[in-house]
Amino acid sequence: MQRRFDQLDDVWPAGLGRRLGAMLYDGLLVLALWIVIASAHLAVVRLLLEVPAGQVGTGIGQVVSLRLLMAVTAFAFFAYFWTRGGMTLGMQAWRLRVQTPDGCSITGLQALQRFLVAGISLAAFGLGYLWILVDGEKRGWPDIASGTRVVVLPKRR
């Protein structure tokens, strides 16, 4: 169920600098999750499947399963925070929130669209985020594709 946010008149579109700061912070958090996932994956491969140490990471099944787990973990991290309160931990630090144009939390489908297009935006040498500099509403490709926007929240008094 979508949640309607307050303070809608006090927010403004987020610029590139703040978004990059939040992305760096969240990237470090996702990296920490990936270390835990990779460790658990290694434990399963070595202890449960009894793969010899020299063969760990050589099979296509091992590689694909680890990459899939990492992608699902990253999506789950972002989708959980975006659909709940509109803010990941990095976004909270930079006072950013993702929301629909009418000020509601985003849906799971919008979170998936944002996540997939964010990957494309980064793979295109960051062009999807540099688009913020030329878009009149300061939207990046993930915002445009998912019908969402990232806004800056006012300081708490």
Side-chain angles (χ1 to χ4, degrees):
M1 177 162 166
Q2 286 184 291
R3 174 179 157 213
R4 181 117 173 113
F5 296 120
D6 56 357
Q7 296 179 317
L8 296 179
D9 294 332
D10 299 330
V11 301
W12 60 93
L16 182 61
R18 281 182 181 268
R19 290 181 188 221
L20 291 177
M23 288 169 63
L24 177 64
Y25 191 97
D26 288 332
L28 293 173
L29 294 171
V30 170
L31 179 62
L33 287 172
W34 283 352
I35 290 170
V36 171
I37 292 298
S39 298
H41 187 269
L42 177 63
V44 167
V45 168
R46 287 284 288 135
L47 301 175
L48 292 180
L49 301 179
E50 298 179 350
V51 174
Q55 294 179 351
V56 170
T58 59
I60 189 74
Q62 295 175 45
V63 173
V64 169
S65 64
L66 180 58
R67 288 182 183 174
L68 184 62
L69 278 170
M70 291 176 136
V72 168
T73 301
F75 171 69
F77 171 84
F78 287 107
Y80 175 80
F81 286 108
W82 286 341
T83 59
R84 298 290 183 264
M87 296 185 278
T88 61
L89 298 174
M91 293 172 80
Q92 288 177 28
W94 287 89
R95 295 189 347 260
L96 300 177
R97 179 175 65 210
V98 63
Q99 63 186 35
T100 61
D102 60 346
C104 293
S105 61
I106 69 173
T107 65
L109 178 59
Q110 287 174 311
L112 180 60
Q113 291 168 329
R114 281 188 67 80
F115 182 77
L116 294 175
V117 176
I120 294 167
S121 297
L122 290 172
F125 305 104
L127 288 176
Y129 289 103
L130 291 174
W131 193 258
I132 294 165
L133 300 173
V134 296
D135 187 80
E137 298 176 39
K138 294 187 179 179
R139 296 173 304 165
W141 292 353
D143 304 319
I144 295 167
S146 64
T148 60
R149 57 186 293 161
V150 177
V151 296
V152 180
L153 302 174
K155 289 183 181 179
R156 293 184 187 232
R157 296 177 187 176

